[in-house]
Amino acid sequence: MPQVVLKEGVNWVGVVDWNIRDFHGYVTSRGTTYNAYLIRDEKIALVDTVKCAFADELVQNVEELMSLEKIDYIIVNHVEMDHSGSLPHIAKLAKNAKIIASERGKDALIEHFGHDFDRVETVKTGDELKLGKRTLRFIETPMLHWPDSMFTYMVEDKILFSNDAFGEHFASSERFDDEVDQQRLWEEAATYYANILMLFAPLITRKIQEVVQMGIPIDIIAPDHGVIWRKDPSKIIKAYLQWSADNAQQRAIIVFDTMWGSTDAMARAIEAGIASQGVEVRVFKLRNRENTDIVAEILDAKAVVMGSPTMNNQMFPTVGGFLTYITGLKPKGKVWGFFGSFGWGGGAVKGMVEMAKKAGFDVYEPTVEVKYVPDEEDLKKCFNFGVQIAHKIKA
Ligand code: FEO
């Protein structure tokens, strides 16, 4: 493998997973990478490992540079299995290495892999580890995005090993931000933020401000997924601050499913009503588009309008699945509208509204419901509903 050098003595030794399409439900249409980094100084440190299935590839990448037995430290920034799945295997080969994690990282390692991991040494924010000319400083980042998560900062070279933060699920043969197609990169960075980190938006703002206040200069951000940010790392930090702030665009997203076309017709009439007020609107039928992509569209929209037919007195299963996902992610600062159709007894719209209110969403009422097939009068009501949603967006 050609060497990928971040700075002298600091190599990327991770792997590219071109073929993954389902990352615990997140549809990774462009694959992903599991990044790991080898720092060679008087002491040798491996920062993070990779998913279990790629253990041999990580071993090979390290051994092209040096024997695993020479590793002095394995830094575990995060225990989720895409970064620690190969750790038990690597730890056996790197038999002289001390394993370093946060306090909660140690607990999680024991819970994942058993009491072999009692020997893990713990660090907290501000602790430092001297490797020789270089120093590693640790910064705990709990719930960014697991309790155990932490960053490792390399002081002299100004490299922030940020684990999941600032990543993308984006497989590529290039390793650096300035080498890849920019549109693809930023699409994937936003999709990753929306699907993995949106729930933690307030925490992200606080943690980034805390890191900025520490006054640590950053030349390179080296995350554990996707590309390494070396051209202008402040750009992805600014993007995170923007995504986590409540500054949505004047845009509405309509998300719906349909059985015999009634909810589809309602969606089109609502779309026309929103657009008639000069507000941009994008429409997604759930069975035609992945939840992962729709969540990314919602990230910077001001309003979300959801429609469902009633099936067995409840909302349509795809709508229920999506609503479960999006209420868990808790996007902030949006207006939510609901509409739907039914045959003899309703249930879908009531169910959606209840779920949304329980999640603390700002629900616009009244809702719109149609029996069987919308007539001209019903479609007018839908159009006017769209107009009202547009007014809420512009208010
Ligand atoms: Fe990439 Fe939270 O694991």
Side-chain angles (χ1 to χ4, degrees):
M1 182 186 76
Q3 287 196 20
V4 180
V5 178
L6 282 70
K7 291 214 175 175
E8 193 196 337
V10 184
N11 284 61
W12 175 87
V13 288
V15 300
V16 181
D17 187 351
W18 289 97
N19 296 319
I20 189 168
R21 290 294 176 270
D22 179 351
F23 190 101
H24 60 45
Y26 179 136
V27 176
T28 45
S29 52
R30 291 190 174 116
T32 193
T33 73
Y34 313 107
N35 299 337
Y37 303 93
L38 189 71
I39 305 164
R40 286 172 295 162
D41 202 317
E42 288 164 31
K43 300 281 185 186
I44 313 285
L46 176 66
V47 179
D48 291 324
T49 62
V50 299
K51 202 172 172 179
C52 187
F54 295 89
D56 289 345
E57 211 174 313
L58 173 61
V59 169
Q60 190 183 326
N61 292 345
V62 173
E63 287 195 331
E64 282 177 15
L65 299 167
M66 42 156 280
S67 157
L68 265 87
E69 290 185 9
K70 290 188 178 163
I71 295 176
D72 296 287
Y73 302 104
I74 300 174
I75 313 296
V76 179
N77 278 327
H78 177 33
V79 177
E80 194 165 5
M81 300 282 250
D82 50 330
H83 309 294
S84 73
S86 62
L87 180 63
H89 181 62
I90 299 295
K92 273 198 188 104
L93 299 176
K95 58 187 181 192
N96 301 310
K98 286 181 181 167
I99 300 172
I100 310 279
S102 66
E103 188 83 41
R104 283 184 275 192
K106 177 178 179 175
D107 293 343
L109 284 170
I110 292 168
E111 280 157 5
H112 277 73
F113 303 118
H115 284 278
D116 276 358
F117 285 83
D118 278 338
R119 68 189 172 104
V120 170
E121 294 188 10
T122 62
V123 288
K124 55 187 186 317
T125 297
D127 285 354
E128 291 189 344
L129 181 65
K130 269 278 184 207
L131 299 179
K133 287 184 199 144
R134 299 175 180 84
T135 313
L136 298 182
R137 186 182 297 161
F138 303 100
I139 303 165
E140 293 163 280
T141 57
M143 298 320 298
L144 196 64
H145 71 128
W146 273 23
D148 60 279
S149 301
M150 68 175 189
F151 293 166
T152 297
Y153 176 65
M154 201 160 89
V155 177
E156 292 76 10
D157 288 308
K158 306 179 185 70
I159 302 176
L160 184 70
F161 298 100
S162 62
N163 192 259
D164 275 334
F166 310 121
E168 326 87 47
H169 287 312
F170 181 21
S172 57
S173 53
E174 302 80 15
R175 297 275 62 82
F176 293 97
D177 58 334
D178 49 290
E179 297 175 322
V180 297
D181 180 282
Q182 294 301 297
Q183 189 180 335
R184 288 181 175 204
L185 171 61
W186 285 100
E187 267 174 29
E188 293 303 337
T191 301
Y192 181 96
Y193 176 90
N195 283 274
I196 306 277
L197 297 167
M198 185 154 62
L199 170 61
F200 307 108
L203 196 75
I204 287 168
T205 310
R206 280 206 303 279
K207 188 45 80 175
I208 289 178
Q209 283 164 350
E210 192 184 312
V211 171
V212 169
Q213 277 161 13
M214 283 178 185
I216 58 172
I218 296 171
D219 277 1
I220 292 177
I221 295 178
D224 275 7
H225 297 292
V227 298
I228 298 159
W229 302 91
R230 70 175 174 190
K231 188 171 181 218
D232 181 7
S234 68
K235 213 169 155 188
I236 186 67
I237 293 175
K238 280 182 201 147
Y240 267 48
L241 287 172
Q242 189 186 332
W243 291 328
S244 55
D246 180 11
N247 61 354
Q249 305 293 307
Q250 288 207 347
R251 183 186 307 129
I253 303 296
I254 298 178
V255 184
F256 76 100
D257 217 326
T258 192
M259 289 173 71
W260 292 105
S262 294
T263 315
D264 191 348
M266 295 175 78
R268 297 306 165 91
I270 294 167
E271 172 202 349
I274 296 171
S276 73
Q277 302 306 299
V279 171
E280 185 190 356
V281 53
R282 297 176 186 172
V283 183
F284 301 97
K285 181 182 164 190
L286 279 160
R287 274 174 293 163
N288 289 352
R289 196 72 187 260
E290 301 294 351
N291 288 356
T292 306
D293 298 332
I294 299 173
V295 167
E297 294 281 351
I298 286 174
L299 177 61
D300 64 352
K302 184 69 191 164
V304 185
V305 186
M306 288 192 63
S308 176
T310 294
M311 187 188 208
N312 304 326
N313 305 315
Q314 302 193 63
M315 67 189 93
F316 202 65
T318 51
V319 178
F322 184 78
L323 207 45
T324 301
Y325 188 41
I326 198 73
T327 50
L329 287 168
K330 294 197 188 326
K332 302 275 181 303
K334 302 185 193 305
V335 177
W336 293 79
F338 295 95
F339 66 98
S341 58
F342 62 96
W344 46 100
V349 171
K350 184 169 172 273
M352 289 190 291
V353 168
E354 279 174 3
M355 270 182 84
K357 284 187 173 173
K358 196 172 163 204
F361 286 5
D362 176 11
V363 177
Y364 171 75
E365 290 181 289
T367 56
V368 196
E369 283 190 87
V370 163
K371 189 170 183 187
Y372 284 120
V373 177
D375 60 17
E376 206 173 316
E377 196 54 35
D378 292 325
L379 292 175
K380 259 190 214 160
K381 274 188 204 157
C382 290
F383 183 91
N384 289 334
F385 180 71
V387 170
Q388 293 309 314
I389 293 286
H391 289 170
K392 289 286 285 181
I393 289 173
K394 291 164 94 173

